[in-house]
Amino acid sequence: QVQLVESGGGLVQAGGSLRLSCAASGRTFSGYAMGWLRQAPGKEREFVAAINWSGGNTYYADSVKGRFTISRDNAKNMVYLQMNSLKPEDTAVYYCAARLGLVRPTTTYDYWGQGTEVIVSS
């Protein structure tokens, strides 16, 4: 089993920046593809970003491309989501997730964190 714990969420003004962190434990996570997903109130969970085991390949949803950056530090068992130029429509609960197999833009993952809330004010 892999345990994932997100942190770094909060309230931020539109145009601002925020960095989310995800700490992995239970098993070495370097062999997993990692992703960030989000769910806004009344909406379905959607894909945000993903990164492969080495960090060399990344995917982004069109809605966040150019504004968000996913990265990982396998030595520290950490994955990050740097969010810049935030918009009110980015408001959601953000989830860190781990996936066995190849990285791809999907909402299907094997392990999930509890989520961290991001609120972007107008």
Side-chain angles (χ1 to χ4, degrees):
Q1 297 291 329
V2 174
Q3 291 79 47
L4 304 171
V5 179
E6 304 96 332
S7 62
L11 176 65
V12 64
Q13 193 172 7
S17 297
L18 204 62
R19 189 179 78 159
L20 305 183
S21 298
C22 174
S25 63
R27 299 179 69 177
T28 301
F29 92 136
S30 58
Y32 292 88
M34 301 296 297
W36 286 97
L37 304 306
R38 68 186 183 186
Q39 188 166 21
K43 302 292 185 180
E44 294 293 317
R45 190 169 298 180
E46 65 176 344
F47 169 80
V48 176
I51 188 167
N52 77 326
W53 66 271
S54 69
N57 294 313
T58 58
Y59 294 90
Y60 297 95
D62 289 340
S63 60
V64 307
K65 193 172 298 181
R67 299 188 297 119
F68 291 10
T69 303
I70 187 172
S71 62
R72 68 190 298 165
D73 186 339
N74 290 338
K76 297 181 178 180
N77 290 344
M78 297 288 292
V79 62
Y80 307 96
L81 184 68
Q82 178 66 46
M83 305 184 293
N84 298 326
S85 302
L86 283 163
K87 305 174 181 179
E89 52 262 44
D90 294 319
T91 296
V93 176
Y94 284 71
Y95 297 89
C96 175
R99 186 178 189 271
L100 281 68
L102 297 176
V103 62
R104 66 190 188 98
T106 180
T107 58
T108 302
Y109 283 79
D110 297 298
Y111 303 99
W112 295 79
Q114 82 291 339
T116 186
E117 188 173 23
V118 172
I119 301 175
V120 184
S121 63
S122 300

